[in-house]
Amino acid sequence: SQQGEEDPQALSIQEGENATMNCSYKTSINNLQWYRQNSGRGLVHLILIRSNEREKHSGRLRVTLDTSKKSSSLLITASRAADTASYFCATIVGAQKLVFGQGTRLTINP
Amino acid sequence: DAGVTQSPTHLIKTRGQHVTLRCSPISGHKSVSWYQQVLGQGPQFIFQYYEKEERGRGNFPDRFSARQFPNYSSELNVNALLLGDSALYLCASSFRTEPRAFFGQGTRLTVV
């Protein structure tokens, strides 16, 4: 079963615009991670936010976490063609079992 | 340093056959996990091994098995392949119990 659910499932924007993706999860967490996947290849870790943090930045990425609503958002500013990918949120259940949502497919149009 | 390496990259098998997928973790990483990703969905957890012991198992049938070797590399075995086993199989390694996972490029398995 999926722990996280991303919204929207697909997003298409123009290059230079900002992209926002949302994630909801079901159980209490210690941290939440976001990963990127290009064209069905391996996942790349983007950012981790801990349960006691509300916002975190990394370059053009901004992640927020609202534990009361069990939700997180990923904002990519000034999007580029290279940002075209699928984005997944993931939480940890048990030892190191990552539970992923279905992902948001982001397309950046030139 | 080399990242997580998986072999083979692509594989075509016939229903009923057996398959072995291999994974080498990042040097120093003792935790290896396996995930199955069906087209259009997020990865689903299959197994986790740490220090050569199974530490977690997902909701997969007994046809799926895995092991970790003394050098921390790992194999995923799937017996009696079904068409529904067609997927991208991802291996991830982690340093001790750190939450961040490093993924390989995956093995694309097609069962015909």
Side-chain angles (χ1 to χ4, degrees):
Chain A
S1 64
Q2 303 283 353
Q3 161 78 319
E5 296 294 335
E6 284 91 347
D7 171 61
Q9 291 189 351
L11 179 62
S12 181
I13 61 174
Q14 295 300 119
E15 195 168 14
E17 294 181 338
N18 296 340
T20 300
M21 289 158 269
N22 303 296
C23 165
S24 61
Y25 57 92
K26 298 175 183 175
T27 62
S28 296
I29 60 171
N30 291 322
N31 58 72
L32 183 143
Q33 303 177 60
W34 285 88
Y35 287 82
R36 183 186 73 216
Q37 185 177 40
N38 291 83
S39 301
R41 298 177 65 82
L43 281 77
V44 175
H45 180 269
L46 294 176
I47 194 166
L48 179 150
I49 186 166
R50 303 192 185 280
S51 59
N52 61 354
E53 298 176 308
R54 291 296 169 260
E55 187 172 310
K56 197 165 184 179
H57 296 256
S58 177
R60 294 184 296 113
L61 305 180
R62 172 179 169 253
V63 169
T64 62
L65 180 64
D66 187 334
T67 53
S68 67
K69 297 181 179 178
K70 291 187 169 58
S71 66
S72 174
S73 68
L74 171 67
L75 168 68
I76 303 174
T77 60
S79 63
R80 305 167 181 169
D83 295 328
T84 293
S86 291
Y87 292 82
F88 297 89
C89 67
T91 56
I92 289 184
V93 176
Q96 280 181 295
K97 171 186 174 181
L98 285 172
V99 181
F100 292 88
Q102 290 193 333
T104 293
R105 295 184 306 278
L106 175 64
T107 302
I108 308 300
N109 301 304
Chain B
D1 286 341
V4 177
T5 58
Q6 291 186 244
S7 63
T9 55
H10 296 84
L11 200 54
I12 299 176
K13 289 286 190 178
T14 304
R15 279 178 298 174
Q17 284 188 317
H18 162 271
V19 69
T20 297
L21 309 181
R22 295 177 175 83
C23 171
S24 293
I26 291 173
S27 177
H29 287 189
K30 298 180 180 180
S31 174
V32 171
S33 298
W34 288 94
Y35 293 83
Q36 181 197 64
Q37 186 178 23
V38 174
L39 193 63
Q41 297 188 15
Q44 294 279 334
F45 173 80
I46 310 175
F47 286 108
Q48 190 222 349
Y49 277 79
Y50 181 72
E51 286 281 19
K52 301 178 286 293
E53 291 187 5
E54 182 183 303
R55 297 299 180 98
R57 173 186 284 256
N59 188 24
F60 281 81
D62 292 342
R63 299 185 295 108
F64 288 76
S65 64
R67 56 179 175 169
Q68 187 176 32
F69 299 98
N71 66 353
Y72 303 107
S73 67
S74 177
E75 282 183 354
L76 175 70
N77 296 283
V78 187
N79 292 324
L81 286 167
L82 303 174
L83 295 179
D85 295 330
S86 295
L88 180 68
Y89 288 85
L90 295 162
C91 174
S93 74
S94 303
F95 180 69
R96 292 187 179 180
T97 56
E98 287 186 4
R100 175 179 175 174
F102 294 80
F103 284 82
Q105 291 301 298
T107 294
R108 173 73 62 186
L109 173 64
T110 302
V111 182
V112 297

